[in-house]
Amino acid sequence: ELKVEQNPLFLSMQEGKNYTIYCNYSTTSDRLYWYRQDPGKSLESLFVLLSNGAVKQEGRLMASLDTKARLSTLHITAAVHDLSATYFCAVDEDSNYQLIWGAGTKLIIKP
Amino acid sequence: DAEITQSPRHKITETGRQVTLACHQTWNHNNMFWYRQDLGHGLRLIHYSYGVQDTNKGEVSDGYSVSRSNTEDLPLTLESAASSQTSVYFCASSSLWETGELFFGEGSRLTVL
């Protein structure tokens, strides 16, 4: 059974700092997704990573995938308050479109 | 613009009542999904469909049912609502032919008293 673990689950940081959220999964997969959720809102797709070594960047966020290590990272550069949200990773184990979700990382960025 | 809409956005009901949450998408996606989101559990898959007349049970399907009579709609029915079904429900869709990226509705908050 596929398990997806995120860490940390909670992160409070200062503006301007860099940090990384980790997403580990337990079986082989080359389809990994990152989503953002603001409080009381829906989930917004951030990145789709579909192969080993994939790296995608959007603004201050960069995601990467290492399928051999079964690890994806979401790196935040020079954090700003607007990036405060909960970030989820999700994995499609069998390419059957059924995603298994991590528990989410609640990120608070203080001015 | 294509979108996915859920209704109602908020509902309060009583234990034992039947409740239906609607989901309508204009993406023309084959795949549609229902998730529930609870604190401490993340997102859990309730039911999903890969196309018209196709429905499948997910991880937490007990007490829920869905039907898919057309491409656009996947209503979720709680046959006899229980307090344990108090949650936020999200509908999502994705294309059969692309990356598997999910597009979510705004969510339906259901309270069962």
Side-chain angles (χ1 to χ4, degrees):
Chain A
E1 178 186 339
L2 173 63
K3 293 188 186 301
V4 179
E5 294 184 351
Q6 288 183 236
N7 69 83
L9 297 183
F10 179 81
L11 177 60
S12 178
M13 55 194 291
Q14 296 290 330
E15 278 192 330
K17 300 291 187 182
N18 303 333
Y19 209 80
T20 300
I21 299 170
Y22 297 89
C23 176
N24 292 271
Y25 54 97
S26 59
T27 67
T28 57
S29 173
D30 57 3
R31 285 175 170 248
L32 190 136
Y33 308 82
W34 284 97
Y35 286 82
R36 167 182 173 148
Q37 186 179 36
D38 293 309
K41 302 294 186 181
S42 185
L43 290 94
E44 172 191 1
S45 178
L46 293 175
F47 300 108
V48 178
L49 304 170
L50 298 178
S51 61
N52 186 40
V55 177
K56 293 201 174 176
Q57 183 165 4
E58 180 72 32
R60 301 175 187 273
L61 300 177
M62 183 175 70
S64 65
L65 178 61
D66 182 342
T67 58
K68 294 179 182 177
R70 300 176 186 174
L71 172 68
S72 179
T73 60
L74 180 66
H75 187 73
I76 304 151
T77 302
V80 293
H81 178 67
D82 286 352
L83 291 178
S84 296
T86 298
Y87 293 86
F88 291 92
C89 65
V91 176
D92 183 352
E93 178 183 17
D94 297 320
S95 297
N96 60 8
Y97 308 103
Q98 298 170 48
L99 303 191
I100 305 300
W101 295 78
T105 296
K106 184 172 184 177
L107 176 64
I108 296 176
I109 300 170
K110 300 177 181 177
Chain B
D1 284 348
E3 60 181 359
I4 180 165
T5 56
Q6 294 183 231
S7 64
R9 296 289 313 280
H10 301 271
K11 183 168 182 70
I12 300 173
T13 191
E14 295 177 343
T15 301
R17 291 190 178 268
Q18 184 181 80
V19 176
T20 296
L21 305 180
C23 176
H24 179 82
Q25 55 101 358
T26 58
W27 290 97
N28 198 33
H29 284 161
N30 297 91
N31 305 332
M32 295 185 73
F33 305 84
W34 274 104
Y35 290 92
R36 60 178 288 175
Q37 186 176 35
D38 305 287
L39 279 175
H41 288 281
L43 280 155
R44 292 183 290 175
L45 183 62
I46 305 171
H47 280 284
Y48 59 99
S49 167
Y50 290 141
V52 176
Q53 302 301 331
D54 175 74
T55 61
N56 305 279
K57 294 181 179 180
E59 176 189 2
V60 290
S61 60
D62 287 350
Y64 304 94
S65 63
V66 294
S67 61
R68 186 93 180 267
S69 58
N70 58 50
T71 299
E72 296 79 17
D73 298 290
L74 187 71
L76 177 71
T77 297
L78 289 68
E79 302 293 345
S80 177
S83 57
S84 60
Q85 295 177 308
T86 293
S87 186
V88 179
Y89 292 86
F90 285 99
C91 181
S93 69
S94 68
S95 170
L96 190 59
W97 313 114
E98 298 179 8
T99 65
E101 179 183 15
L102 286 175
F103 296 84
F104 282 85
E106 292 300 309
S108 295
R109 181 176 295 274
L110 176 67
T111 301
V112 182
L113 301 176

